[in-house]
């Protein structure tokens, strides 16, 4: 599951997707984490717009001890095979709640627990690619989004058994407009030979940025 990624350069994203900046847009960090700002492309009045939203649908849980609500947890990934379930169907079934997440590359933690390092993946022929997403307005964090995940290519299972649903340009409009039952043809591993894999020696937990919530996938 992905909980670290880099968004694409703003002007390049606008040009690539033929989009305009939406009302909810501010420049944020290039590297994004759950419960922090990221950017998405959504459709508004027939136009593609680029907007900033918080990464992760808020999941409200209650304390087992007190019964009181706990701090919301960001559900930053959604399994494609779970889009028909109650938690996701209300959004996934509505084209207006789907989005594309402009992504330059995404990261997975590799190695043994306690000494994991960053491994970055990108699409060889697409400096900025589209990751399938869902978005909504929430009471807790305002506008939020989540990335849809699918099975990873067999050659990349050693990195993780799942990967982002990468949508090639010819299917962008299909993801944004088609009925939910027709979307499942996109639920397939992205070809490993089209991905660039960069193993690094950078420790996964070295960063000094704001604390990152653990990944959640439903």
């Amino acid at each position: 599951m992905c909980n670290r990624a880099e968004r694409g350069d703003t002007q390049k994203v606008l040009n690539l997707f033929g989009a305009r900046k939406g009302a909810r847009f501010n420049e944020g960090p290039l590297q994004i984490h759950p419960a922090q700002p990221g950017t998405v492309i959504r459709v508004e009045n027939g136009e593609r717009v680029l907007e900033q939203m918080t990464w992760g649908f808020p999941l409200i849980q209650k304390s087992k001890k007190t019964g009181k609500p706990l701090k919301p947890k960001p559900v930053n990934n959604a399994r494609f095979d779970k889009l028909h379930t109650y938690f996701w169907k209300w959004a996934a079934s509505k084209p207006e709640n789907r989005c594309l997440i402009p992504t330059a590359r995404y990261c997975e933690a590799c190695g043994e627990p306690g000494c994991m390092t960053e491994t970055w993946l990108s699409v060889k022929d697409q400096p900025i690619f589209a990751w399938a997403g869902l978005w909504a307005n929430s009471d807790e964090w305002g506008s939020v989004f989540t990335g849809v995940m699918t099975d990873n290519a067999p050659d990349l299972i050693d990195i993780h058994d799942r990967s982002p649903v990468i949508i090639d340009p010819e299917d962008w409009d299909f993801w944004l407009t088609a009925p939910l039952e027709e979307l499942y043809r996109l639920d397939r591993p992205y070809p490993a030979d089209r991905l660039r894999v960069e193993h690094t020696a950078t420790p996964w937990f070295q960063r000094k940025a704001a604390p990152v919530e653990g990944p959640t996938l439903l």
Side-chain angles (χ1 to χ4, degrees):
M1 62 192 75
C2 178
N3 71 331
R4 188 172 298 172
E6 287 186 2
R7 65 178 180 84
D9 172 80
T10 298
Q11 192 56 53
K12 291 180 179 178
V13 167
L14 293 172
N15 293 341
L16 178 63
F17 289 88
R20 63 172 175 79
K21 292 181 181 179
R24 297 173 295 201
F25 182 82
N26 291 292
E27 289 287 352
L30 283 177
Q31 191 168 125
I32 65 173
H33 302 89
Q36 296 181 9
T39 55
V40 307
I41 296 285
R42 71 178 186 90
V43 175
E44 180 180 70
N45 298 323
E47 286 186 288
R48 292 178 185 169
V49 297
L50 178 67
E51 293 193 335
Q52 185 184 76
M53 301 182 183
T54 298
W55 187 9
F57 277 39
L59 177 64
I60 309 299
Q61 297 175 310
K62 292 184 178 180
S63 169
K64 294 181 179 179
K65 292 183 178 180
T66 67
K68 294 182 178 180
L70 299 172
K71 179 182 178 182
K73 186 175 184 180
V75 184
N76 51 288
N77 293 162
R79 287 173 50 146
F80 211 132
D81 58 354
K82 299 293 185 180
L83 294 186
H84 66 285
T85 62
Y86 174 78
F87 191 88
W88 295 118
K89 188 174 182 179
W90 67 271
S93 63
K94 300 175 183 177
E96 62 267 27
N97 283 105
R98 297 188 211 132
C99 62
L100 301 170
I101 307 168
T103 309
R105 58 179 188 162
Y106 66 96
C107 192
E108 297 288 4
C110 293
E112 297 299 321
C115 55
M116 288 183 167
T117 55
E118 293 182 341
T119 292
W120 290 90
L121 297 96
S122 56
V123 179
K124 292 178 181 177
D125 61 349
Q126 297 180 52
I128 298 173
F129 62 88
W131 176 8
L134 305 173
W135 79 276
N137 290 313
S138 73
D139 293 333
E140 296 81 10
W141 298 331
S143 297
V144 296
F145 72 95
T146 192
V148 181
M149 306 293 284
T150 188
D151 292 336
N152 211 349
D155 292 349
L156 301 175
I157 291 294
D158 60 318
I159 295 175
H160 203 284
D161 62 349
R162 291 191 175 272
S163 70
V165 174
I166 297 172
I167 302 182
D168 288 327
E170 59 268 23
D171 284 323
W172 290 351
D173 284 335
F174 180 74
W175 171 258
L176 294 170
T177 61
L180 175 59
E181 58 270 18
E182 295 182 15
L183 295 179
Y184 287 94
R185 71 173 177 82
L186 300 175
D187 185 12
R188 74 287 183 268
Y190 201 74
D193 61 358
R194 293 190 60 189
L195 295 174
R196 179 180 296 106
V197 180
E198 302 172 73
H199 295 288
T200 78
T202 304
W204 180 256
F205 291 110
Q206 179 176 301
R207 301 185 179 279
K208 303 294 184 180
V212 177
E213 299 279 356
T216 302
L217 181 136
L218 294 179

